Amino acid sequence: MTTFDADGVTLERVREHVWELPQEDGMTTPARVLASESLLEHIKDDDTLEQIANVTHLPGVVKHALCMPDGHQGYGFPVGGVAAMDAENGCISPGGVGFDINCLSGDAEVSLPFGRYRPIRRLDEEFENRRVSVVAEDGTEVAADVHLFTETSRETVYEVTTATGDTVEATSDHPFVTPNGKVELDNLEEGDMIRLNPFEGLPDETPPEFTVLDASDFADEDPQLVRVLEDRDLLPLKSTDDAFHRLLKLVGYHTGDGSFSGTQTWFYANPEDLESIRTDIESIGFTPSRVYERDREHSVGGSEFEATEYSVRSTSNAFKQLLVRLGAPTSRKVESAFTTPDYLDRLADWQKALYLSAFFGAEMSTPDTVSAKNFYAPSVSHNRIAEREDAGEAFMRDLMRHLNDIGVRTNALEIVERGENATHETVRFRFGVSSESENLVRFLTTIGYRYNAEKRRRSALTAQYLKRKERHIDARARVAADARAMADGGVSPSEVKDAFDSVNDRFIERSIYGERAERPRPASDFPDFDEYADRTALHGDGVVDVEIESIDKLGTKPVYDIGVDHDAHTFVANGFVVSNCGVRMVKTNLTYEDVQGREEELVDALFDAVPTGLGGGGVVDSSHSAVEGILEDGMEWALREGYAVPGDLEHCEDEGRRPDADPSAVSQKAKDRGANQIGSLGSGNHFLEVQRVTDIFRADVADSYGLEEDQIVVLIHCGSRGLGHQVCSDYLRRIEDEHPDFLDSLPDKNLAAAPADSELADEYYGAMCAAINFAWVNRQLIMHQTRQVFADVFDTSWEALEMDLLYDVAHNIAKRETHTVDGEERDLYVHRKGATRAFPAGREEVPPAYRDVGQPVIIPGSMGAGSYVLRGGADSLDVTFGSTAHGAGRLMSRTRAKQQFDAADVQSGLEEHDRIYVKAQSGETIAEEAPGVYKDVDEVIRVSDDLGIGDKVARTFPVCNIKG
């Protein structure tokens, strides 16, 4: 096979296991995927190929951007991505290292397309197939795919309350969009402005599924028309189809402001709104016209005037017949017998609202004031000829009934006029939405107007004004009640007046003496609506700036977050993680026979000794000076403090210390997050696993590494915990602030990078190296605890058990290295995201103990498939900048894994069939890390070995495992 078709992307085979994405517009180099055909079948299933192609857009990329055999979709870079950027003229990218997530409490309501919302905790159900609403930079609302769902057991949350009474609960590091860009909650305070979209929508109820239309509904049409609809997946049309939801809007609007002419379908609106209509027509498979413009003369009440009319049409008869059968009136509406479509009664409320809001966008009046602080009832007028009066009344009453079902009260239906047109007597009906504030706010924030941006913007201002006014009146009502209570208790009127400085004396007198029968009016200095509208910033379709009234700490709760596929990232927090996730392997002189029968004792002891999970808690409680020392000196700190021996440093990548580390470039917030997590595993795929060596492939190298069959080893996989997360969050904010033009030039803002010659790049590199030092110490302290556990369980000192470090290798880092490119030595930032350094024999960075055979490479597999020890391959420098895979690579998301695998079954199956004992903080973690969620690690290793980038040395298999 010379090419591989990856769902429309053609990969060219360069040689065995090497596939190239051709260089296209914007790509500074080609991209390559290192994989067998069986692995490509998995890699093509997500956005990995698009992401590795995007990496080549970064300035200074040399040779190729590379995806390792375990590659899968990440953020910005794919996991398993490797890219080298020129250290002088290129960039350094936190996106090439990792991505951070910040969290909301589970009740936060996430807006979805089609006017729905769902609590974030319920978005885990098949989240990969979901879309959410994102507010783009210009304030417009767009739909975006969800690529990530996270759930954290417990975090401290804060309640943010605005001056309009809107609330949300979030962690302190969750960014909010403000007039000054994205700002973390920790850096906001009372009086600051944040942006809010007042439109809430309706709960995301699952609608009853039924067939709305099928081929039999078009039996009297040309069969070719039916084929057109079938080819577009519009027949059969189900009540749950996205196309049906778009059609509900189109039918509703067309009923109000559309017409048919022959086979043509016309819509009339402002140009901005016609573009939205065009988008929906295109989305269901038809081709709309451009927006037409013409001047027309009109006569109303004897007055003549000229106005510009804008329109869009579809010439497809299939499209017309579809709308007709969904309820769009075919003849002149005033003479027609149409009512609302019968199927509306079978739909969920949010679906009914699509039809209603589109009709109201065409026909309902815009919210407007009857006085400075009060509003008219938005109303709908509708004309029919006298012969169709019953149908006209039924149509209007249906609209009122559906509104009432959704919880919006209406005024009574009235006949406001009987008159005549050129040929018939006519009847004009009208009803309005009750203008009581709570009711009007509900209408504007749950139904509102579609295909009418101007009405939506006016609605946003109206809703926010009314919410603010009601809070103001409520506060005055509380003062009135308190004043009456004080007076009834014997407090003199003058003392009561002195007790309240927010109201005038006359207000207190009326409250005390019972002159007020109703709720108070707004104070005279409360702004009129027009004043409020003039001073309130409005963006896009209806996003407003609102003042923070309070920020209150609530305590700890489970928290959640999602990631979206859109440059705005307005829901998910835009923090990149520099976790220096890595692994280390500890050797022992124990054999599998020594451990058999003691597995449960060993796993329980390890679980008790090594902190796991998402929260705080580590092996040591660190002072400020200790954290500074760890960030500066890495493993040298552990040696000084008695947690390491010299041999540990000698067998660690970079001897466990990055000399470029700059603790002063790490924020205090990051240091605080790391202080109580030193020596903890974390969660997810991080683990501590006792293993036995089952296979030796290169005896001479294994001998140099001190490995032999049946030997017991310990694998530790974890990173820099919350400190690394915070480092990257901090620097992402600075990249956004200091290099916005640079960021805007990238195809994906998750690639966020700082120019290599910038001060920011230097500071970020210093902070990242400090986080790397922290990660090495983190794993060292876990190893220290592991040594103590083995000593206790086997009643032998760890030294006598020969528990020596084989090697510690980092996974998620960017390093400044020198490589030969096209015969010339180049200073490069080599980014390895979910990839492992794999230097061959002779490279000076390899520790002296292994320099003659090559660097050890440790690649974990799943709990049920074992892991591998490799050595840096002879071809790794030429092919991958000295890199190879870092694991098996996920096949499915954590949420899908929880849906597919039962934790108890996984745990018992591993124990019964493979004698693997697993213990975790929660059953969810076991399900998320089930063997079936990973690629075939044997195939990943085979590709690495065949390519000469990582040579097989030994294979290990789990004995017992602890997870967060």
Side-chain angles (χ1 to χ4, degrees), residues 598-634:
R598 311 190 71 171
E599 296 94 341
E600 288 189 70
E601 178 187 3
L602 188 57
V603 78
D604 287 343
L606 288 168
F607 194 78
D608 290 342
V610 178
T612 58
L614 283 155
V619 170
V620 296
D621 292 325
S622 296
S623 64
H624 174 75
S625 60
V627 173
E628 293 286 336
I630 291 168
L631 295 174
E632 177 75 37
D633 296 328

Side-chain angles (χ1 to χ4, degrees), residues 22-29 53-54 56-57 747:
Q23 189 172 342
E24 297 178 349
D25 290 345
M27 296 173 64
T28 57
T29 67
N54 285 343
T56 68
H57 291 250

Side-chain angles (χ1 to χ4, degrees), residues 99-116:
F99 196 84
D100 193 19
I101 302 296
N102 305 284
C103 298
L104 301 171
S105 68
D107 292 330
E109 294 168 350
V110 179
S111 295
L112 310 178
F114 303 119
R116 301 167 292 158

Side-chain angles (χ1 to χ4, degrees), residues 173-195:
D173 51 0
H174 197 90
F176 287 76
V177 178
T178 77
N180 300 313
K182 296 185 181 74
V183 179
E184 290 184 6
L185 178 56
D186 219 18
N187 297 319
L188 291 170
E189 56 187 33
E190 293 176 11
D192 287 344
M193 304 297 288
I194 58 176
R195 290 189 174 163

